[in-house]
Amino acid sequence: MEHLLDHVTPYLKMSLEERITFIRSPRWIGYSAALQAHRRLGDLLSRPAAMRTNGLMLIGPYANGKTMIAERFAIQHLRTAPAQKVWVIQTHEGSGLSHFYSSILTAFKAPMARAHGVAGKADQIDQLFNRLSPQMLIFDEFHNALRGRAQDTEAIFGFLRRLGRVYDISPVLLGEVAIYDHVNATDEMASRFELCSVPRWQYGEEYLTLLDSLEAALPLARDFGLSAEPMARKIHALSEGLIGENVAIVSRIAVHAITSGIERVTLAAIEMLPYVPLSARRQSPQRNKLL
Amino acid sequence: MMRKKEKKAFVVEVQDQSYRTFVCDRWPVSVATLPNELLSSWLKRLAHANGIAPYHVASTLGLGNGFGPVKLERSIPERVASLLNNYTGMDSATLAAMSFGGNAWQPLLLPLRNNSHRWQSNWLQYCPQCLGADPTPYFRKSWRLATSVSCAVHRCVLKDRCPSCGAGIAAFGQRYLVPPHLCASCHSDLRNTPAGKLRRTIRNLACALNQLSSRQTPSRSSALILQLLDLPAVTTPPLSGPFIQLSTAARIRRLDELVQHLSITSENHPGQTYRTAGKVQWFASGKSPDISTLRIAYLRARTRSEQVAHSGKIEVLSQKSTPDFWLSVSN
């Protein structure tokens, strides 16, 4: 089975359910933009002390692997560093400082006082940061914090600037293009954040390499040849260049092939998959069937 | 589009752990226990390190109002011990060592609670010099016992009030973020309390009580404990209220009166003293009705008084036939 990676070959002998479970597990794919993002995060983590905030914006469309990049970086840091210096914070849904502080306290697993107002939470955060000296805080879904009044957004940005000034913490903001708009609205914030984009995949050599790598990582008895021209174009069109959708489609193809027993794929089979691309779902025939 | 013959590939790995499952549930800052530390003192330092007031730690552990940890020092329920282990990694043996569960001296703990008249009967004691000498100030276990009226290390009298505002020392339950060595009401530094010397008359008795109470399960001491609890009733004039509910100053006065009674008694009835090689034993029995129910051997070192009390081995012995017992001090 020379078309498969070494660690995948044992899975061919396993039962159907185990193969399907393995196909559906979340995967990290080390493509060039992801590795570049990791390099920039690593540089930010190891930079010397500075007086001003230095932050990064990791921006791209949904389902394009931003959270996977950030979590992988954090887990690798936790595995190798003697003390934790990177935290991943899931931004709470509400806007305003109180929710934002709660997100940070939850991420730090700190005990929380129910009666604490904004001032109490701010004091607690100051105490914790003084003790723990974090160097990087990664805010996942940061655009949640920007959906509010202008003064709430300003307050949160002011807090991020204070973090950099007082504790020398680098904030990393993950999310969609709204973050880019808000940050670049003023020079004050724009001068502190650099952009690291996670764009959609264009059809090209690298995209075909992606499909090959995915195939090699799935326990398929035969090389499907997904990177051949017509099938690759079809998959690219369905996924619209988003890596999350790509992985979902390829997994679906693989599961379908295994369960049906036909260990090969044709263009017709792909079209018969019940898969509708993201942008087409709003006005699709399948919606009309729901009426 | 033509493809090259050899295929490059990206690294593809199953990411079976998400960040959330990787990070454990522990509170961010952990605090090590210090030698002979009281449980409520450790919890106070833990709360302070994690940025919340001690009152909220109590509610996080499901302990209700702010006096929960004071009750914890009597015995720790299983549920609370496992929660603390989950959040701090402290094992139950260490937690038990900081409390008095199963300790024979438990009845002599200061209650530290408001009585039904809504004023607090007594407060936690502290030694200002111990707090001042600590790199991190903390409260010792022995300061919660009613038998402790002096510091075992510095020999000064223990205080139970703030020197500036006169408020009692809150054991726990503060709603504000205040380090343990500051008064909860006025935030003045307790380490600056002027040290007081213990009266010479009861110095030895206080030392003996400190040494006795530092043992976990002294033999045949339950009678002694009961008699200490009854101490105010046998003084003149007899007071109502048990020993353990008195403030430090009141307890010192009671012990002083006791010693004076015993010295009068032993002058009238010179106690039998036995001196054998390396051992000096004193036996005192009371004949007067005031202390008829209380017999405590009265330590009066004739030679090298304090060294005997401190470096000697103290045993509580009793005869089988009579309820008398005496304290034996051997060099």
Side-chain angles (χ1 to χ4, degrees):
Chain A
M1 299 294 155
E2 61 287 332
H3 65 278
L4 289 181
L5 295 175
D6 293 331
H7 68 270
V8 179
T9 323
Y11 278 92
L12 283 175
K13 301 186 193 56
M14 296 199 189
S15 72
L16 198 64
E17 288 82 21
E18 282 170 339
R19 282 169 85 188
I20 292 180
T21 313
F22 181 70
I23 290 174
R24 289 191 176 144
S25 338
R27 272 183 180 74
W28 156 256
I29 304 174
Y31 60 98
S32 52
L35 295 174
Q36 168 77 346
H38 271 194
R39 268 193 296 277
R40 291 186 73 176
L41 285 169
D43 287 342
L44 195 60
L45 187 59
S46 57
R47 65 170 170 81
M51 295 268 279
R52 287 177 98 237
T53 322
N54 274 321
L56 200 63
M57 294 188 281
L58 207 66
I59 300 199
Y62 293 108
N64 214 17
K66 303 186 292 289
T67 305
M68 177 62 85
I69 293 174
E71 291 207 346
R72 172 113 176 158
F73 178 75
I75 293 180
Q76 279 181 328
H77 166 78
L78 284 173
R79 281 197 180 128
T80 54
Q84 184 174 6
K85 293 292 175 191
V86 175
W87 273 265
V88 175
I89 297 165
Q90 298 296 327
T91 316
H92 278 193
E93 314 72 59
S95 60
L97 269 182
S98 187
H99 284 279
F100 199 65
Y101 287 159
S102 298
S103 327
I104 297 180
L105 290 173
T106 313
F108 275 79
K109 312 269 179 160
M112 290 209 274
R114 274 191 302 265
H116 264 177
V118 178
K121 290 180 193 164
D123 282 340
Q124 187 175 4
I125 289 180
D126 280 333
Q127 267 278 63
L128 289 175
F129 283 179
N130 273 323
R131 290 260 183 163
L132 297 171
S133 310
Q135 283 174 304
M136 185 186 277
L137 296 177
I138 302 179
F139 292 94
D140 200 3
E141 304 281 317
F142 185 71
H143 42 264
N144 280 339
L146 302 175
R147 291 179 183 147
R149 303 172 296 182
Q151 66 206 56
D152 291 329
T153 313
E154 266 316 300
I156 290 176
F157 281 159
F159 175 64
L160 291 179
R161 291 195 293 270
R162 179 164 73 89
L163 285 187
R165 220 170 40 244
V166 177
Y167 301 107
D168 202 16
I169 295 178
S170 308
V172 176
L173 313 176
L174 252 65
E176 52 147 15
V177 71
I179 301 177
Y180 182 85
D181 293 334
H182 274 95
V183 164
N184 284 318
T186 61
D187 277 344
E188 198 177 11
M189 288 302 286
S191 57
R192 287 170 162 87
F193 283 90
E194 289 184 1
L195 175 66
C196 178
S197 64
V198 186
R200 289 180 195 253
W201 288 77
Q202 302 297 323
Y203 189 83
E205 187 66 38
E206 199 172 8
Y207 182 71
L208 300 174
T209 316
L210 171 71
L211 288 178
D212 284 333
S213 318
L214 271 177
E215 261 200 84
L218 296 178
L220 305 166
R222 210 173 306 157
D223 185 2
F224 280 4
L226 286 177
S227 53
E229 173 89 11
M231 284 201 281
R233 288 255 179 217
K234 182 71 192 165
I235 295 177
H236 185 261
L238 280 180
S239 70
E240 296 180 341
L242 300 170
I243 194 170
E245 297 292 301
N246 263 307
V247 172
I249 293 172
V250 172
S251 315
R252 201 76 85 92
I253 294 173
V255 169
H256 180 77
I258 293 179
T259 48
S260 66
I262 319 166
E263 299 257 351
R264 53 188 287 269
V265 178
T266 61
L267 200 57
I270 297 179
E271 282 168 9
M272 292 293 288
L273 273 183
Y275 192 86
V276 181
L278 275 176
S279 58
R281 283 186 202 172
R282 271 162 238 145
Q283 296 296 333
S284 67
Q286 72 180 13
R287 181 184 178 274
N288 293 332
K289 288 185 202 153
L290 297 174
L291 295 168
Chain B
M1 189 171 168
M2 291 299 292
R3 297 263 7 256
K4 296 198 186 82
K5 276 289 173 185
E6 67 277 354
K7 298 178 183 179
K8 292 184 305 179
F10 299 130
V11 169
V12 181
E13 276 175 20
V14 172
Q15 184 87 354
D16 48 1
Q17 264 182 319
S18 75
Y19 172 84
R20 199 177 51 240
T21 54
F22 209 80
V23 174
C24 55
D25 264 345
R26 296 253 177 100
W27 286 350
V29 184
S30 60
V31 164
T33 60
L34 292 167
N36 210 20
E37 186 168 18
L38 195 56
L39 182 65
S40 57
S41 159
W42 176 71
L43 282 175
K44 216 190 278 190
R45 290 195 300 125
L46 183 68
H48 191 243
N50 280 295
I52 53 174
Y55 181 81
H56 301 292
V57 166
S59 54
T60 312
L61 295 173
L63 289 172
N65 62 18
F67 277 97
V70 167
K71 288 199 201 99
L72 270 191
E73 283 161 3
R74 291 189 186 269
S75 71
I76 305 181
E78 183 59 44
R79 177 186 64 86
V80 176
S82 71
L83 271 179
L84 278 173
N85 189 26
N86 193 27
Y87 288 137
T88 63
M90 201 58 73
D91 58 302
S92 38
T94 322
L95 290 173
M98 290 196 281
S99 63
F100 290 93
N103 193 332
W105 294 92
Q106 204 182 352
L108 280 171
L109 283 179
L110 293 171
L112 297 180
R113 63 171 180 269
N114 296 333
N115 63 13
S116 59
H117 296 285
R118 290 198 159 264
W119 46 269
Q120 199 164 4
S121 50
N122 54 19
W123 307 272
L124 189 55
Q125 308 173 109
Y126 67 97
C127 165
Q129 298 185 35
C130 281
L131 287 182
D134 285 332
T136 319
Y138 68 102
F139 279 68
R140 272 71 170 169
K141 254 175 82 172
S142 48
W143 294 348
R144 205 181 150 191
L145 284 171
T147 49
S148 306
V149 294
S150 72
C151 176
V153 175
H154 296 103
R155 324 267 185 75
C156 57
V157 76
L158 292 179
K159 303 280 185 182
D160 58 355
R161 287 185 185 254
C162 167
S164 317
C165 66
I169 304 301
F172 206 77
Q174 294 102 345
R175 288 181 186 255
Y176 307 107
L177 213 53
V178 166
H181 58 273
L182 300 186
C183 167
S185 320
C186 68
H187 297 201
S188 70
D189 200 335
L190 295 176
R191 299 175 288 189
N192 295 335
T193 315
K197 283 182 88 76
L198 199 53
R199 288 175 224 189
R200 194 181 49 84
T201 42
I202 62 164
R203 216 176 276 167
N204 292 325
L205 182 57
C207 289
L209 286 175
N210 277 344
Q211 291 214 12
L212 275 179
S213 57
S214 66
R215 283 139 199 255
Q216 284 282 351
T217 50
S219 57
R220 300 194 192 99
S221 62
S222 49
L224 172 60
I225 290 172
L226 286 173
Q227 288 164 353
L228 281 173
L229 284 171
D230 272 339
L231 195 51
V234 304
T235 54
T236 47
L239 292 172
S240 61
F243 187 60
I244 56 175
Q245 277 195 2
L246 300 175
S247 68
T248 313
R251 272 179 280 129
I252 291 178
R253 281 199 293 275
R254 297 289 91 77
L255 289 175
D256 197 26
E257 284 168 12
L258 168 69
V259 162
Q260 288 180 15
H261 277 295
L262 284 174
S263 64
I264 293 171
T265 311
S266 70
E267 274 164 20
N268 294 338
H269 312 272
Q272 296 126 32
T273 46
Y274 305 92
R275 198 183 281 250
T276 57
K279 255 200 206 182
V280 182
Q281 296 178 338
W282 288 274
F283 173 65
S285 77
K287 295 281 168 57
S288 64
D290 283 349
I291 56 168
S292 60
T293 56
L294 175 67
R295 294 154 208 240
I296 285 188
Y298 168 47
L299 289 175
R300 187 195 288 177
R302 301 205 186 140
T303 57
R304 296 184 300 148
S305 55
E306 267 124 81
Q307 277 145 347
V308 169
H310 278 278
S311 65
K313 184 172 80 118
I314 295 189
E315 282 175 283
V316 181
L317 311 165
S318 70
Q319 285 176 331
K320 290 202 180 73
S321 50
T322 68
D324 304 333
F325 63 92
W326 63 90
L327 287 173
S328 143
V329 178
S330 42
N331 289 353

